[in-house]
Amino acid sequence: AKVHAIGSRLQRNQVGIVSKGFGSHVSLERCEISNNIRIGLGVREGAAAHAQDCQMKRNQYGVCVANAGSFIALHSCSLNENLTHGLGASEGGCIEALKCVMLENQVGVVSKGTGSTVLLKRCRSNENGRVGIGIREGGSAECVECEMKRNQYGICALNAGATVTLSRCDASNNERYGVSSSDGGLVQAVDCRLNENQQLGIGAWHVNSKVMLLRCTLSDNGRTGLASRVGSFISAVNCTLKGNSQFGVYVSGDGSLVTLKGCALSDNGLYGIGASESGVAEASRCQMQRNTQAGVVSKDA
């Protein structure tokens, strides 16, 4: 079955539109899918959909893609003010979005479950009530030149197998953290900005949680540029950590490890690097300048 809709409105239904089953395809242009009780646009059981210049707003869920083989491509769409999430992949569903905006949802983008994938290019997931992009339970996301700002958390990778790859992205001005990895999540970031978050630029918690940073800037955060705690691991290469209110880098807890190579840590409110409670920081070819109290401190209770 195939549906092609142009300039249509799908409003106040249980579900706005569904594409279901292999071979089914929905194509939407300049459509408004709004105020539906559950889902604006649903794609499942191997179906496909394409949406361009569409609005999915004030639904419970803006877009849901579920099951292996299900796929949607979005171009220049807005997914705003949905009660739960703007854009979500689960149970192996796949999403590709270009130049889309996810604004004022509870969560902007979700990828949940093994095999679920989200590819975002030049998208904005801003001003969402909790999380800009949330990856969990084996889901994955790749973000290129995207913006995650003014959320509670910019990006969260949660649980073993959850993976986020960021390239030239900006996760700044969030209420708590720009990026977080916990319970075994993995975050890889290249040429990204994690600045002016109210608490941390980036944080990792728990054994097997990992963060890998290359040429990133973590500046002017309310507490710390990057923090590793409770057995997590962070690697930073050629990064800049400056002007953070307390620490450029903080590592705490048995098994927690931060490795720094070629990084600049300057003008932080307390220390460039702080280690406590058996946390370990390893630094090579780094510069620590003009930190208010000291370049490096190691302290255990």
Side-chain angles (χ1 to χ4, degrees):
K2 295 185 179 181
V3 174
H4 185 196
I6 301 174
S8 301
R9 292 183 178 179
L10 301 103
Q11 299 176 321
R12 299 181 179 87
N13 306 284
Q14 186 78 5
V15 176
I17 189 167
V18 176
S19 183
K20 179 180 177 182
F22 287 100
S24 299
H25 187 271
V26 169
S27 178
L28 306 173
E29 298 179 47
R30 302 188 304 279
C31 293
E32 180 183 324
I33 307 173
S34 62
N35 297 296
N36 295 287
I37 295 171
R38 292 189 62 240
I39 299 170
L41 171 58
V43 182
R44 56 183 299 183
E45 298 177 17
H50 177 271
Q52 183 166 347
D53 298 312
C54 293
Q55 297 182 53
M56 297 81 164
K57 62 183 181 181
R58 294 191 294 273
N59 308 284
Q60 180 78 35
Y61 305 90
V63 170
C64 293
V65 182
N67 312 122
S70 301
F71 172 80
I72 187 168
L74 304 166
H75 190 295
S76 301
C77 294
S78 61
L79 303 98
N80 301 337
E81 302 177 63
N82 296 286
L83 293 177
T84 302
H85 68 238
L87 185 59
S90 64
E91 300 176 16
C94 180
I95 295 170
E96 293 184 5
L98 174 65
K99 297 181 179 179
C100 293
V101 176
M102 287 68 66
L103 183 70
E104 296 183 352
N105 308 282
Q106 186 76 356
V107 178
V109 180
V110 174
S111 179
K112 178 182 177 182
T114 302
S116 301
T117 62
V118 174
L119 172 61
L120 306 176
K121 294 183 178 180
R122 296 196 292 264
C123 292
R124 289 182 289 138
S125 188
N126 297 340
E127 299 178 34
N128 296 286
R130 293 189 61 216
V131 180
I133 299 175
I135 312 303
R136 58 185 299 182
E137 299 174 20
S140 67
E142 179 181 355
C143 306
V144 180
E145 297 179 359
C146 292
E147 191 176 277
M148 292 71 64
K149 292 185 173 183
R150 297 180 298 280
N151 308 284
Q152 188 172 10
Y153 300 87
I155 301 162
C156 294
L158 177 66
N159 312 124
T163 303
V164 181
T165 303
L166 308 170
S167 178
R168 302 185 300 282
C169 292
D170 191 348
S172 301
N173 302 107
N174 294 286
E175 291 180 13
R176 298 196 66 185
Y177 312 146
V179 177
S180 73
S181 173
S182 60
D183 293 319
L186 171 64
V187 176
Q188 299 171 295
V190 178
D191 295 319
C192 292
R193 297 184 298 278
L194 305 124
N195 305 330
E196 298 181 353
N197 298 287
Q198 291 185 24
Q199 293 190 20
L200 306 178
I202 193 163
W205 291 264
H206 310 123
V207 175
N208 295 324
S209 299
K210 295 182 180 180
V211 173
M212 316 290 284
L213 305 176
L214 175 62
R215 297 190 303 274
C216 293
T217 301
L218 303 92
S219 299
D220 302 304
N221 294 287
R223 290 174 59 190
T224 299
L226 70 82
S228 170
R229 305 190 67 176
V230 201
S232 60
F233 171 74
I234 297 178
S235 167
V237 178
N238 297 335
C239 293
T240 299
L241 303 102
K242 66 178 183 179
N244 299 288
S245 293
Q246 296 183 3
F247 300 89
V249 171
Y250 181 71
V251 55
S252 174
D254 189 36
S256 299
L257 173 63
V258 173
T259 64
L260 306 168
K261 296 181 180 179
C263 295
L265 302 98
S266 63
D267 302 293
N268 295 288
L270 294 177
Y271 305 100
I273 299 173
S276 69
E277 299 176 7
S278 301
V280 176
E282 299 177 353
S284 63
R285 302 190 307 278
C286 293
Q287 297 182 9
M288 284 153 276
Q289 300 176 327
R290 299 184 304 278
N291 298 288
T292 302
Q293 293 195 18
V296 179
V297 63
S298 177
K299 181 179 179 181
D300 283 318

